[in-house]
Amino acid sequence: MSGEKKMMYVHGFASSGSSGTVMNLRKNFLDWRVIAPDLPVDPFEALELLHETIRSEQPKIIIGTSMGGMYTQQLWGIPRIVVNPSFEMSRTLLFNHIGKHKYTAKRKDGVMEFRIDKKVVERFKLMEQTQFDGINEQEKSLVYGLFGDKDPVVHFHPLMSRLYGEERCLWFDGEHRLNDKVVKKDLIPLINKLLDEQI
């Protein structure tokens, strides 16, 4: 549809494009189409899928949470919000997630389980070596970081602040996962603020 407004959501570890946050965004942005692909386990395949989706859908803004925030940070040239980004997935996976896991939200392909092994960890480690290479002054004006002040999982506010500037890093009252209250009180206003800045 010509002129259709689109945003893309990039889900976190063990989630999918049918997560509660996606449903929440669709409920609150009725005049937008929210695109949310199911990501492959391999990080390079995930990034390629995201780039293909950007080329075909041309979203105006991208929101990513946790692992999805790590991917979203690398999707250069588009306004984007990274929520509690997990920039060291290789370390997180190696120490906490080796083995078989169940997806927490239904995937379009029907797959219900996936496995993390040391090969996957090494793929993340390789990708992480270049994940910040595209940052320049223009990119700094396109990105906000949103951080839960009680997040027990990841703590990358200092790194994000150093890379993008403290003025691009905002806090919300909450933990690692987004809930309805945080989406309404913090994420939606930030989406509108970022879109307004690009006009």
PDB file of all heavy atoms in Angstrom, residues 74-101:
ATOM      1  N   GLN A  74      22.778  -2.070  14.854  1.00  0.00           N
ATOM      2  CA  GLN A  74      23.594  -2.217  13.640  1.00  0.00           C
ATOM      3  C   GLN A  74      22.832  -1.939  12.348  1.00  0.00           C
ATOM      4  O   GLN A  74      23.409  -2.068  11.264  1.00  0.00           O
ATOM      5  CB  GLN A  74      24.160  -3.640  13.575  1.00  0.00           C
ATOM      6  CG  GLN A  74      25.018  -4.012  14.769  1.00  0.00           C
ATOM      7  CD  GLN A  74      25.474  -5.454  14.709  1.00  0.00           C
ATOM      8  OE1 GLN A  74      26.264  -5.844  13.849  1.00  0.00           O
ATOM      9  NE2 GLN A  74      24.969  -6.275  15.619  1.00  0.00           N
ATOM     10  N   LEU A  75      21.562  -1.587  12.433  1.00  0.00           N
ATOM     11  CA  LEU A  75      20.757  -1.373  11.220  1.00  0.00           C
ATOM     12  C   LEU A  75      20.841   0.093  10.812  1.00  0.00           C
ATOM     13  O   LEU A  75      19.896   0.867  10.938  1.00  0.00           O
ATOM     14  CB  LEU A  75      19.315  -1.829  11.479  1.00  0.00           C
ATOM     15  CG  LEU A  75      19.193  -3.306  11.873  1.00  0.00           C
ATOM     16  CD1 LEU A  75      17.746  -3.659  12.207  1.00  0.00           C
ATOM     17  CD2 LEU A  75      19.718  -4.222  10.758  1.00  0.00           C
ATOM     18  N   TRP A  76      21.992   0.446  10.304  1.00  0.00           N
ATOM     19  CA  TRP A  76      22.365   1.836  10.048  1.00  0.00           C
ATOM     20  C   TRP A  76      21.387   2.555   9.125  1.00  0.00           C
ATOM     21  O   TRP A  76      20.799   1.960   8.232  1.00  0.00           O
ATOM     22  CB  TRP A  76      23.776   1.894   9.449  1.00  0.00           C
ATOM     23  CG  TRP A  76      24.752   0.984  10.117  1.00  0.00           C
ATOM     24  CD1 TRP A  76      25.377  -0.097   9.564  1.00  0.00           C
ATOM     25  CD2 TRP A  76      25.226   1.053  11.472  1.00  0.00           C
ATOM     26  NE1 TRP A  76      26.194  -0.700  10.486  1.00  0.00           N
ATOM     27  CE2 TRP A  76      26.124  -0.020  11.671  1.00  0.00           C
ATOM     28  CE3 TRP A  76      24.968   1.921  12.547  1.00  0.00           C
ATOM     29  CZ2 TRP A  76      26.772  -0.245  12.874  1.00  0.00           C
ATOM     30  CZ3 TRP A  76      25.607   1.693  13.753  1.00  0.00           C
ATOM     31  CH2 TRP A  76      26.496   0.630  13.907  1.00  0.00           C
ATOM     32  N   GLY A  77      21.269   3.874   9.354  1.00  0.00           N
ATOM     33  CA  GLY A  77      20.545   4.743   8.439  1.00  0.00           C
ATOM     34  C   GLY A  77      19.076   4.921   8.719  1.00  0.00           C
ATOM     35  O   GLY A  77      18.405   5.665   8.001  1.00  0.00           O
ATOM     36  N   ILE A  78      18.556   4.261   9.750  1.00  0.00           N
ATOM     37  CA  ILE A  78      17.120   4.312  10.050  1.00  0.00           C
ATOM     38  C   ILE A  78      16.950   4.719  11.518  1.00  0.00           C
ATOM     39  O   ILE A  78      17.697   4.244  12.375  1.00  0.00           O
ATOM     40  CB  ILE A  78      16.462   2.943   9.805  1.00  0.00           C
ATOM     41  CG1 ILE A  78      16.625   2.545   8.338  1.00  0.00           C
ATOM     42  CG2 ILE A  78      14.969   2.970  10.166  1.00  0.00           C
ATOM     43  CD1 ILE A  78      16.264   1.124   8.043  1.00  0.00           C
ATOM     44  N   PRO A  79      15.970   5.579  11.840  1.00  0.00           N
ATOM     45  CA  PRO A  79      15.706   5.891  13.241  1.00  0.00           C
ATOM     46  C   PRO A  79      15.396   4.615  14.018  1.00  0.00           C
ATOM     47  O   PRO A  79      14.617   3.779  13.559  1.00  0.00           O
ATOM     48  CB  PRO A  79      14.479   6.812  13.173  1.00  0.00           C
ATOM     49  CG  PRO A  79      14.545   7.420  11.821  1.00  0.00           C
ATOM     50  CD  PRO A  79      15.102   6.350  10.930  1.00  0.00           C
ATOM     51  N   ARG A  80      15.998   4.468  15.204  1.00  0.00           N
ATOM     52  CA  ARG A  80      15.812   3.223  15.935  1.00  0.00           C
ATOM     53  C   ARG A  80      16.001   3.420  17.440  1.00  0.00           C
ATOM     54  O   ARG A  80      16.711   4.311  17.880  1.00  0.00           O
ATOM     55  CB  ARG A  80      16.729   2.122  15.396  1.00  0.00           C
ATOM     56  CG  ARG A  80      18.174   2.468  15.309  1.00  0.00           C
ATOM     57  CD  ARG A  80      18.863   1.627  14.211  1.00  0.00           C
ATOM     58  NE  ARG A  80      20.312   1.745  14.279  1.00  0.00           N
ATOM     59  CZ  ARG A  80      20.984   2.744  13.711  1.00  0.00           C
ATOM     60  NH1 ARG A  80      20.354   3.705  13.054  1.00  0.00           N
ATOM     61  NH2 ARG A  80      22.307   2.792  13.813  1.00  0.00           N
ATOM     62  N   ILE A  81      15.333   2.542  18.173  1.00  0.00           N
ATOM     63  CA  ILE A  81      15.379   2.547  19.630  1.00  0.00           C
ATOM     64  C   ILE A  81      15.847   1.177  20.082  1.00  0.00           C
ATOM     65  O   ILE A  81      15.281   0.155  19.669  1.00  0.00           O
ATOM     66  CB  ILE A  81      14.001   2.864  20.236  1.00  0.00           C
ATOM     67  CG1 ILE A  81      13.558   4.277  19.825  1.00  0.00           C
ATOM     68  CG2 ILE A  81      14.029   2.724  21.759  1.00  0.00           C
ATOM     69  CD1 ILE A  81      12.103   4.578  20.140  1.00  0.00           C
ATOM     70  N   VAL A  82      16.877   1.157  20.912  1.00  0.00           N
ATOM     71  CA  VAL A  82      17.377  -0.108  21.447  1.00  0.00           C
ATOM     72  C   VAL A  82      17.021  -0.152  22.932  1.00  0.00           C
ATOM     73  O   VAL A  82      17.394   0.733  23.699  1.00  0.00           O
ATOM     74  CB  VAL A  82      18.893  -0.279  21.195  1.00  0.00           C
ATOM     75  CG1 VAL A  82      19.168  -0.313  19.698  1.00  0.00           C
ATOM     76  CG2 VAL A  82      19.733   0.808  21.842  1.00  0.00           C
ATOM     77  N   VAL A  83      16.252  -1.158  23.317  1.00  0.00           N
ATOM     78  CA  VAL A  83      15.766  -1.281  24.689  1.00  0.00           C
ATOM     79  C   VAL A  83      16.567  -2.362  25.413  1.00  0.00           C
ATOM     80  O   VAL A  83      16.606  -3.512  24.964  1.00  0.00           O
ATOM     81  CB  VAL A  83      14.263  -1.636  24.711  1.00  0.00           C
ATOM     82  CG1 VAL A  83      13.753  -1.691  26.149  1.00  0.00           C
ATOM     83  CG2 VAL A  83      13.445  -0.641  23.887  1.00  0.00           C
ATOM     84  N   ASN A  84      17.230  -1.980  26.495  1.00  0.00           N
ATOM     85  CA  ASN A  84      18.067  -2.918  27.253  1.00  0.00           C
ATOM     86  C   ASN A  84      18.906  -3.796  26.316  1.00  0.00           C
ATOM     87  O   ASN A  84      18.849  -5.032  26.367  1.00  0.00           O
ATOM     88  CB  ASN A  84      17.202  -3.799  28.169  1.00  0.00           C
ATOM     89  CG  ASN A  84      16.606  -3.010  29.321  1.00  0.00           C
ATOM     90  OD1 ASN A  84      17.208  -2.076  29.833  1.00  0.00           O
ATOM     91  ND2 ASN A  84      15.409  -3.388  29.737  1.00  0.00           N
ATOM     92  N   PRO A  85      19.690  -3.168  25.418  1.00  0.00           N
ATOM     93  CA  PRO A  85      20.439  -3.951  24.430  1.00  0.00           C
ATOM     94  C   PRO A  85      21.460  -4.884  25.070  1.00  0.00           C
ATOM     95  O   PRO A  85      22.136  -4.508  26.039  1.00  0.00           O
ATOM     96  CB  PRO A  85      21.132  -2.876  23.587  1.00  0.00           C
ATOM     97  CG  PRO A  85      21.256  -1.700  24.510  1.00  0.00           C
ATOM     98  CD  PRO A  85      20.017  -1.732  25.355  1.00  0.00           C
ATOM     99  N   SER A  86      21.553  -6.078  24.527  1.00  0.00           N
ATOM    100  CA  SER A  86      22.505  -7.075  25.022  1.00  0.00           C
ATOM    101  C   SER A  86      23.661  -7.169  24.030  1.00  0.00           C
ATOM    102  O   SER A  86      23.608  -7.932  23.064  1.00  0.00           O
ATOM    103  CB  SER A  86      21.806  -8.429  25.180  1.00  0.00           C
ATOM    104  OG  SER A  86      22.686  -9.374  25.732  1.00  0.00           O
ATOM    105  N   PHE A  87      24.707  -6.375  24.256  1.00  0.00           N
ATOM    106  CA  PHE A  87      25.798  -6.248  23.305  1.00  0.00           C
ATOM    107  C   PHE A  87      26.839  -7.356  23.410  1.00  0.00           C
ATOM    108  O   PHE A  87      27.742  -7.427  22.580  1.00  0.00           O
ATOM    109  CB  PHE A  87      26.501  -4.896  23.475  1.00  0.00           C
ATOM    110  CG  PHE A  87      25.663  -3.703  23.082  1.00  0.00           C
ATOM    111  CD1 PHE A  87      25.603  -2.587  23.900  1.00  0.00           C
ATOM    112  CD2 PHE A  87      24.956  -3.695  21.897  1.00  0.00           C
ATOM    113  CE1 PHE A  87      24.845  -1.486  23.532  1.00  0.00           C
ATOM    114  CE2 PHE A  87      24.188  -2.601  21.520  1.00  0.00           C
ATOM    115  CZ  PHE A  87      24.138  -1.488  22.347  1.00  0.00           C
ATOM    116  N   GLU A  88      26.751  -8.208  24.421  1.00  0.00           N
ATOM    117  CA  GLU A  88      27.702  -9.314  24.563  1.00  0.00           C
ATOM    118  C   GLU A  88      26.949 -10.636  24.634  1.00  0.00           C
ATOM    119  O   GLU A  88      27.041 -11.381  25.608  1.00  0.00           O
ATOM    120  CB  GLU A  88      28.572  -9.118  25.810  1.00  0.00           C
ATOM    121  CG  GLU A  88      29.520  -7.946  25.706  1.00  0.00           C
ATOM    122  CD  GLU A  88      30.412  -7.795  26.934  1.00  0.00           C
ATOM    123  OE1 GLU A  88      30.308  -8.616  27.872  1.00  0.00           O
ATOM    124  OE2 GLU A  88      31.203  -6.838  26.951  1.00  0.00           O
ATOM    125  N   MET A  89      26.200 -10.927  23.575  1.00  0.00           N
ATOM    126  CA  MET A  89      25.411 -12.156  23.542  1.00  0.00           C
ATOM    127  C   MET A  89      26.282 -13.394  23.650  1.00  0.00           C
ATOM    128  O   MET A  89      25.882 -14.389  24.246  1.00  0.00           O
ATOM    129  CB  MET A  89      24.582 -12.214  22.267  1.00  0.00           C
ATOM    130  CG  MET A  89      23.317 -11.371  22.295  1.00  0.00           C
ATOM    131  SD  MET A  89      22.158 -11.829  23.616  1.00  0.00           S
ATOM    132  CE  MET A  89      21.761 -13.520  23.171  1.00  0.00           C
ATOM    133  N   SER A  90      27.493 -13.346  23.100  1.00  0.00           N
ATOM    134  CA  SER A  90      28.366 -14.535  23.163  1.00  0.00           C
ATOM    135  C   SER A  90      28.643 -14.909  24.617  1.00  0.00           C
ATOM    136  O   SER A  90      28.591 -16.086  24.986  1.00  0.00           O
ATOM    137  CB  SER A  90      29.678 -14.279  22.415  1.00  0.00           C
ATOM    138  OG  SER A  90      30.389 -13.190  22.990  1.00  0.00           O
ATOM    139  N   ARG A  91      28.920 -13.927  25.441  1.00  0.00           N
ATOM    140  CA  ARG A  91      29.189 -14.174  26.855  1.00  0.00           C
ATOM    141  C   ARG A  91      27.925 -14.653  27.583  1.00  0.00           C
ATOM    142  O   ARG A  91      27.950 -15.616  28.354  1.00  0.00           O
ATOM    143  CB  ARG A  91      29.721 -12.890  27.490  1.00  0.00           C
ATOM    144  CG  ARG A  91      30.124 -13.018  28.937  1.00  0.00           C
ATOM    145  CD  ARG A  91      30.693 -11.686  29.437  1.00  0.00           C
ATOM    146  NE  ARG A  91      30.975 -11.730  30.866  1.00  0.00           N
ATOM    147  CZ  ARG A  91      32.077 -12.218  31.385  1.00  0.00           C
ATOM    148  NH1 ARG A  91      33.005 -12.745  30.599  1.00  0.00           N
ATOM    149  NH2 ARG A  91      32.262 -12.215  32.699  1.00  0.00           N
ATOM    150  N   THR A  92      26.812 -13.987  27.310  1.00  0.00           N
ATOM    151  CA  THR A  92      25.539 -14.366  27.927  1.00  0.00           C
ATOM    152  C   THR A  92      25.166 -15.801  27.584  1.00  0.00           C
ATOM    153  O   THR A  92      24.767 -16.583  28.449  1.00  0.00           O
ATOM    154  CB  THR A  92      24.421 -13.413  27.466  1.00  0.00           C
ATOM    155  OG1 THR A  92      24.755 -12.085  27.851  1.00  0.00           O
ATOM    156  CG2 THR A  92      23.076 -13.790  28.069  1.00  0.00           C
ATOM    157  N   LEU A  93      25.305 -16.163  26.308  1.00  0.00           N
ATOM    158  CA  LEU A  93      24.950 -17.514  25.873  1.00  0.00           C
ATOM    159  C   LEU A  93      25.899 -18.552  26.464  1.00  0.00           C
ATOM    160  O   LEU A  93      25.462 -19.609  26.929  1.00  0.00           O
ATOM    161  CB  LEU A  93      24.973 -17.590  24.344  1.00  0.00           C
ATOM    162  CG  LEU A  93      23.938 -16.747  23.607  1.00  0.00           C
ATOM    163  CD1 LEU A  93      24.152 -16.838  22.103  1.00  0.00           C
ATOM    164  CD2 LEU A  93      22.516 -17.165  23.967  1.00  0.00           C
ATOM    165  N   LEU A  94      27.192 -18.257  26.455  1.00  0.00           N
ATOM    166  CA  LEU A  94      28.182 -19.228  26.926  1.00  0.00           C
ATOM    167  C   LEU A  94      27.968 -19.579  28.397  1.00  0.00           C
ATOM    168  O   LEU A  94      28.047 -20.749  28.795  1.00  0.00           O
ATOM    169  CB  LEU A  94      29.590 -18.672  26.719  1.00  0.00           C
ATOM    170  CG  LEU A  94      30.741 -19.609  27.110  1.00  0.00           C
ATOM    171  CD1 LEU A  94      30.721 -20.875  26.264  1.00  0.00           C
ATOM    172  CD2 LEU A  94      32.078 -18.889  26.959  1.00  0.00           C
ATOM    173  N   PHE A  95      27.652 -18.579  29.200  1.00  0.00           N
ATOM    174  CA  PHE A  95      27.564 -18.819  30.643  1.00  0.00           C
ATOM    175  C   PHE A  95      26.160 -19.176  31.127  1.00  0.00           C
ATOM    176  O   PHE A  95      26.001 -19.683  32.235  1.00  0.00           O
ATOM    177  CB  PHE A  95      28.094 -17.604  31.410  1.00  0.00           C
ATOM    178  CG  PHE A  95      29.585 -17.445  31.291  1.00  0.00           C
ATOM    179  CD1 PHE A  95      30.123 -16.486  30.463  1.00  0.00           C
ATOM    180  CD2 PHE A  95      30.441 -18.297  31.975  1.00  0.00           C
ATOM    181  CE1 PHE A  95      31.503 -16.347  30.335  1.00  0.00           C
ATOM    182  CE2 PHE A  95      31.821 -18.171  31.861  1.00  0.00           C
ATOM    183  CZ  PHE A  95      32.352 -17.190  31.031  1.00  0.00           C
ATOM    184  N   ASN A  96      25.143 -18.909  30.314  1.00  0.00           N
ATOM    185  CA  ASN A  96      23.772 -19.119  30.804  1.00  0.00           C
ATOM    186  C   ASN A  96      22.863 -19.950  29.910  1.00  0.00           C
ATOM    187  O   ASN A  96      21.808 -20.398  30.371  1.00  0.00           O
ATOM    188  CB  ASN A  96      23.088 -17.764  31.043  1.00  0.00           C
ATOM    189  CG  ASN A  96      23.795 -16.940  32.083  1.00  0.00           C
ATOM    190  OD1 ASN A  96      24.020 -17.405  33.192  1.00  0.00           O
ATOM    191  ND2 ASN A  96      24.164 -15.725  31.726  1.00  0.00           N
ATOM    192  N   HIS A  97      23.234 -20.150  28.630  1.00  0.00           N
ATOM    193  CA  HIS A  97      22.229 -20.687  27.711  1.00  0.00           C
ATOM    194  C   HIS A  97      22.703 -21.801  26.785  1.00  0.00           C
ATOM    195  O   HIS A  97      22.052 -22.067  25.775  1.00  0.00           O
ATOM    196  CB  HIS A  97      21.647 -19.548  26.866  1.00  0.00           C
ATOM    197  CG  HIS A  97      20.920 -18.514  27.668  1.00  0.00           C
ATOM    198  ND1 HIS A  97      19.757 -18.769  28.348  1.00  0.00           N
ATOM    199  CD2 HIS A  97      21.216 -17.213  27.911  1.00  0.00           C
ATOM    200  CE1 HIS A  97      19.346 -17.682  28.966  1.00  0.00           C
ATOM    201  NE2 HIS A  97      20.214 -16.724  28.723  1.00  0.00           N
ATOM    202  N   ILE A  98      23.813 -22.461  27.070  1.00  0.00           N
ATOM    203  CA  ILE A  98      24.221 -23.601  26.246  1.00  0.00           C
ATOM    204  C   ILE A  98      23.187 -24.717  26.425  1.00  0.00           C
ATOM    205  O   ILE A  98      22.788 -25.046  27.539  1.00  0.00           O
ATOM    206  CB  ILE A  98      25.622 -24.099  26.644  1.00  0.00           C
ATOM    207  CG1 ILE A  98      26.680 -23.031  26.331  1.00  0.00           C
ATOM    208  CG2 ILE A  98      25.953 -25.417  25.947  1.00  0.00           C
ATOM    209  CD1 ILE A  98      26.917 -22.797  24.847  1.00  0.00           C
ATOM    210  N   GLY A  99      22.749 -25.294  25.292  1.00  0.00           N
ATOM    211  CA  GLY A  99      21.777 -26.383  25.355  1.00  0.00           C
ATOM    212  C   GLY A  99      20.508 -26.076  24.597  1.00  0.00           C
ATOM    213  O   GLY A  99      20.459 -25.171  23.756  1.00  0.00           O
ATOM    214  N   LYS A 100      19.468 -26.852  24.888  1.00  0.00           N
ATOM    215  CA  LYS A 100      18.192 -26.746  24.171  1.00  0.00           C
ATOM    216  C   LYS A 100      17.255 -25.783  24.890  1.00  0.00           C
ATOM    217  O   LYS A 100      17.203 -25.738  26.116  1.00  0.00           O
ATOM    218  CB  LYS A 100      17.540 -28.127  24.087  1.00  0.00           C
ATOM    219  CG  LYS A 100      16.313 -28.176  23.179  1.00  0.00           C
ATOM    220  CD  LYS A 100      15.637 -29.533  23.227  1.00  0.00           C
ATOM    221  CE  LYS A 100      16.461 -30.586  22.512  1.00  0.00           C
ATOM    222  NZ  LYS A 100      15.734 -31.886  22.443  1.00  0.00           N
ATOM    223  N   HIS A 101      16.490 -25.028  24.102  1.00  0.00           N
ATOM    224  CA  HIS A 101      15.548 -24.050  24.652  1.00  0.00           C
ATOM    225  C   HIS A 101      14.229 -24.108  23.897  1.00  0.00           C
ATOM    226  O   HIS A 101      14.186 -24.478  22.724  1.00  0.00           O
ATOM    227  CB  HIS A 101      16.112 -22.627  24.535  1.00  0.00           C
ATOM    228  CG  HIS A 101      17.421 -22.448  25.225  1.00  0.00           C
ATOM    229  ND1 HIS A 101      17.528 -22.112  26.551  1.00  0.00           N
ATOM    230  CD2 HIS A 101      18.693 -22.589  24.765  1.00  0.00           C
ATOM    231  CE1 HIS A 101      18.796 -22.036  26.881  1.00  0.00           C
ATOM    232  NE2 HIS A 101      19.528 -22.332  25.817  1.00  0.00           N
TER     233      HIS A 101
END
